[in-house]
Amino acid sequence: MGSLTTENGLLQKFDMDEIMNCMHCGFCLPTCPTYVQTGLETFSPRGRIALMKGVANGQLPIDDEFEKNMNACLGCRACETACPAGVPYGGLLETAREVAQDHKKTIEKPSRIRNLVFKHIFPHPKRVKRLGSLLWTAQALGLQSFADRTGLIRILPREMAEMQKSIDKVASPRKRKTRPHIMKAEGQKRLTVGLFTGCIMDILFYETNQATARLLTKAGCDVVFVEDQGCCGAMHAHSGEMSGAKELAKRNIEAFERANVDFIVNNAGGCGAALKEYDHWFHGDPVWEEQAARFVAKNRDANEILAELPPLTFSKSLPVKVTYQDSCHLAHGQGVRNQPRQLLRSIPGLELVEMKHPDSCCGSAGTYNLTNFDMSMQILDGKMEQVKETKTCMIVTSNPGCLLQMKQGIVRAGLQEQMEAVHIMDLLDRAL
């Protein structure tokens, strides 16, 4: 009886009104990377929504097959852009994964690795920083290159062994500790903004965060590195750990409220999409809904705010041909498409060449390239064929996960000598 009551409680989490809004028209099918790769209906948004409906109605069990079909989705949300009915597929997917995980926890204990990641590492910023320091130490001692040269890297799982080739040198602990709390605006001050530094972003892409801050100061912003902020919660939410995601969100809401900034700026498409959805996460919550709505109203992607501020003044020409890879969560999740292109075209000498489907997923999708490696690489290899057709020497993107994935794509395609992948903030900073 207790188990049945628990299961009924889980099923009530589904929003049946939104599930029923799906007209099964099929407009989503050609936009879905996993459906394009497999042709399987259960690997399409329409098919997954049908499975959600069956589970929510009690006609299908919450079993391993349901979990597998939900986890096979990249969560790229291209289907949302294509959907004529405006079905919020991303939210439905998060609910389905939460239901699957909560049900699983009634049957078996979560694995040690899952507990380690979601309970003991990412909710604790100091521990994330310590891991960053360990990585810096390994790089400084030459252990990473030694493992590559000797083949020791093969002791790692294949997906991690391939990914590590894309990781550049991380900033030293000393460099991170000595960063000033505030970077002052150059010239006339227009705004005070808080930079959302992220968790992994501030380790693997510390210099990108610094470049973003420099760009904002040149555009007239005081930039505050807000204390006590942490992980955005996206990884938890996408993995069915919604209660953990909300705890992380509460910490960020409170930290930025105390900072009292005009806007909250981030440079990671995936993080930004999560930050802008805090109000949905707390919908109906009598304590947090209003605070979450205020937090969301202040959030801007770095491309958004730089495009709104007076144009940056570039000191030199950058004669280079580039192609732009849209971050799924920036383009489909936040609707930010034109601003990055506007900024790129403002760089003197730069030529932007669009690929066939710049807003199709690269296969990164958070941790998807680790949990669904083969599918991720199939999608990436197809994306690299589009990149090759542009005959450019640079792939520009606006998300750290996409950046790592595109670097990996360059290596897989054997284009290391003729192409690089760059975050748009780094490229703008380079041009200045």
Side-chain angles (χ1 to χ4, degrees):
M1 183 69 176
S3 176
L4 184 61
T5 303
T6 300
E7 188 156 310
N8 287 339
L10 289 176
L11 300 187
Q12 288 173 7
K13 293 185 176 185
F14 284 106
D15 188 329
M16 284 303 295
D17 289 337
E18 294 295 1
I19 285 176
M20 296 305 293
N21 278 339
C22 176
M23 303 181 294
H24 304 282
C25 63
F27 277 89
C28 60
L29 300 183
T31 71
C32 176
T34 52
Y35 178 77
V36 170
Q37 290 292 329
T38 66
L40 296 174
E41 181 71 14
T42 52
F43 273 37
S44 74
R46 180 177 70 180
R48 291 186 181 102
I49 289 175
L51 292 175
M52 293 176 204
K53 180 181 176 183
V55 166
N57 286 332
Q59 297 168 323
L60 293 174
I62 311 171
D63 56 11
D64 290 343
E65 188 66 20
F66 177 72
E67 183 184 7
K68 172 191 158 189
N69 285 312
M70 296 305 116
N71 288 341
C73 177
L74 292 118
C76 70
R77 297 168 66 170
C79 52
E80 290 188 16
T81 299
C83 181
V87 175
Y89 176 81
L92 293 177
L93 179 68
E94 286 179 356
T95 299
R97 288 176 172 172
E98 181 186 8
V99 166
Q101 277 304 315
D102 286 353
H103 176 73
K104 198 171 186 177
K105 288 172 185 174
T106 65
I107 302 169
E108 60 186 58
K109 288 183 179 179
S111 70
R112 288 182 179 178
I113 292 178
R114 189 175 183 89
N115 271 337
L116 183 68
V117 170
F118 292 113
K119 288 188 176 179
H120 301 296
I121 295 180
F122 283 95
H124 305 280
K126 288 182 180 178
R127 294 177 189 175
V128 174
K129 288 175 183 175
R130 285 192 201 113
L131 283 176
S133 298
L134 283 173
L135 177 57
W136 174 82
T137 301
Q139 290 179 335
L141 293 173
L143 298 180
Q144 186 181 20
S145 57
F146 175 77
D148 267 338
R149 288 196 313 271
T150 61
L152 277 175
I153 202 72
R154 288 196 291 271
I155 66 173
L156 291 175
R158 181 169 54 121
E159 53 269 28
M160 293 186 72
E162 281 212 23
M163 177 179 277
Q164 63 84 30
K165 297 175 185 176
S166 308
I167 297 175
D168 294 329
K169 287 188 177 181
V170 300
S172 70
R174 182 178 179 279
K175 197 171 197 178
R176 285 186 272 119
K177 281 180 182 176
T178 55
R179 176 167 60 192
H181 176 61
I182 298 176
M183 290 174 63
K184 290 291 187 179
E186 294 186 14
Q188 180 187 352
K189 178 189 167 184
R190 300 176 186 278
L191 297 169
T192 299
V193 303
L195 186 66
F196 184 81
T197 54
C199 47
I200 294 298
M201 185 75 194
D202 212 34
I203 301 297
L204 298 184
F205 300 102
Y206 173 88
E207 294 299 341
T208 303
N209 278 345
Q210 294 305 103
T212 306
R214 284 192 293 270
L215 290 166
L216 289 165
T217 61
K218 288 180 185 296
C221 300
D222 278 358
V223 180
V224 182
F225 292 92
V226 175
E227 295 179 359
D228 298 325
Q229 61 172 297
C231 177
C232 65
M235 188 169 67
H236 284 71
H238 298 164
S239 302
E241 300 284 346
M242 202 63 214
S243 60
K246 287 180 179 179
E247 289 307 309
L248 291 168
K250 289 174 185 177
R251 176 191 296 166
N252 288 323
I253 290 169
E254 289 181 331
F256 281 93
E257 268 194 353
R258 287 193 296 270
N260 194 29
V261 292
D262 298 316
F263 291 103
I264 303 161
V265 181
N266 80 90
N267 55 18
C271 294
L275 297 172
K276 289 181 178 179
E277 289 175 356
Y278 281 6
D279 53 345
H280 295 297
W281 292 6
F282 291 105
H283 180 67
D285 187 306
V287 177
W288 287 94
E289 184 175 25
E290 188 177 333
Q291 283 176 276
R294 288 198 302 268
F295 178 90
V296 169
K298 286 187 174 186
N299 263 277
R300 296 289 187 278
D301 180 78
N303 290 284
E304 279 184 291
I305 200 158
L306 286 172
E308 292 170 8
L309 290 165
L312 295 165
T313 303
F314 297 96
S315 60
K316 60 184 178 181
S317 176
L318 199 63
V320 62
K321 284 175 68 174
V322 309
T323 192
Y324 179 71
Q325 163 66 19
D326 284 283
S327 155
C328 292
H329 283 91
L330 188 59
H332 303 301
Q334 302 180 60
V336 177
R337 296 170 179 269
N338 295 327
Q339 295 93 324
R341 290 169 169 84
Q342 175 186 330
L343 291 169
L344 286 173
R345 291 190 176 107
S346 71
I347 299 175
L350 183 142
E351 181 184 351
L352 175 62
V353 182
E354 296 282 9
M355 64 180 93
K356 279 184 181 175
H357 303 291
D359 62 350
S360 66
C361 189
C362 64
S364 171
T367 59
Y368 192 90
N369 51 5
L370 295 176
T371 58
N372 294 269
F373 179 75
D374 290 332
M375 178 69 75
S376 172
M377 292 303 106
Q378 289 174 35
I379 294 167
L380 174 59
D381 291 342
K383 172 62 73 171
M384 289 308 299
E385 289 303 314
Q386 294 181 38
V387 170
K388 286 179 189 175
E389 289 174 7
T390 65
K391 294 182 169 56
T392 54
C393 62
M394 189 182 291
I395 309 169
V396 183
T397 188
S398 299
N399 187 56
C402 299
L403 182 57
L404 282 176
Q405 185 84 338
M406 300 315 295
K407 287 183 179 219
Q408 194 167 350
I410 289 171
V411 172
R412 287 174 65 88
L415 299 173
Q416 303 96 307
E417 301 301 319
Q418 50 195 289
M419 179 171 280
E420 65 173 324
V422 181
H423 194 288
I424 187 170
M425 294 296 123
D426 290 314
L427 182 60
L428 289 164
D429 186 56
R430 188 186 300 181
L432 285 170

